Every structure is written in structure tokens, then in C-alpha cells.
Amino acid sequence: MSNITLAQAGNEDMGAEATEALLLKNYRPESLYILPEYKADKARFKAIDMHSHPYPKTEQEIEEWVQTMKENNIQK
């Protein structure tokens, strides 16, 4: 599969091949900014899961769920 730029993809003469090649999974933008890289070990603030389902049915499953929440810094 050939690499095409966004400008080339906008060209109507490129045809269906260009349209197929311009997929989100193939998009690799290059930043204009050169900044130091920072990798956070975990989020500064706890997350709140606003959409959840009551999957655990036993005490053991509830404990596993709570442990997973603690490991991923989820507050509620």
C-alpha cells in the first residue's frame, strides 16, 4: 500500500486506491513542535466511571472489580 499525503488524498484524480489508503489506522501525523516527552505513571486525578453495569454477582467478583478500579485509579 502506498503512502499518500492528505493533500494528495483530496485530489480527485487519485481514484479509489487513494481513498482506500487514507484510513485512520494509517494516519501518522508529524508534530510541528519539538517538546520534551513526558510519560505519566498514572493520572493525577482519579477517574469516575459514568457508565457501568452490575456484572459481579459474588463477593469474590466484587473484590476483583474493586481491585481493578484501584489499579486503574478509578474513584467511583
Side-chain angles (χ1 to χ4, degrees), residues 18-60:
T19 304
E20 290 297 318
L22 186 62
L23 301 174
L24 184 57
K25 69 178 184 176
N26 299 332
Y27 182 59
R28 301 288 183 266
E30 292 184 22
S31 177
L32 300 175
Y33 306 102
I34 301 186
L35 302 170
E37 193 170 312
Y38 174 75
K39 298 283 185 185
D41 294 332
K42 66 177 188 175
R44 180 177 292 178
F45 303 103
K46 293 187 178 219
I48 297 175
D49 184 1
M50 298 299 292
H51 180 95
S52 185
H53 298 270
Y55 294 124
K57 304 292 185 214
T58 66
E59 289 292 324
Q60 175 64 27

Side-chain angles (χ1 to χ4, degrees), residues 54-70:
Y55 294 124
K57 304 292 185 214
T58 66
E59 289 292 324
Q60 175 64 27
E61 290 175 340
I62 292 171
E63 288 299 321
E64 290 172 5
W65 189 325
V66 170
Q67 184 59 35
T68 300
M69 289 175 63
K70 286 179 181 178

Side-chain angles (χ1 to χ4, degrees), residues 6-22:
L6 192 55
Q8 290 171 327
N11 185 351
E12 293 177 13
D13 297 332
M14 292 293 291
E17 184 179 328
T19 304
E20 290 297 318
L22 186 62

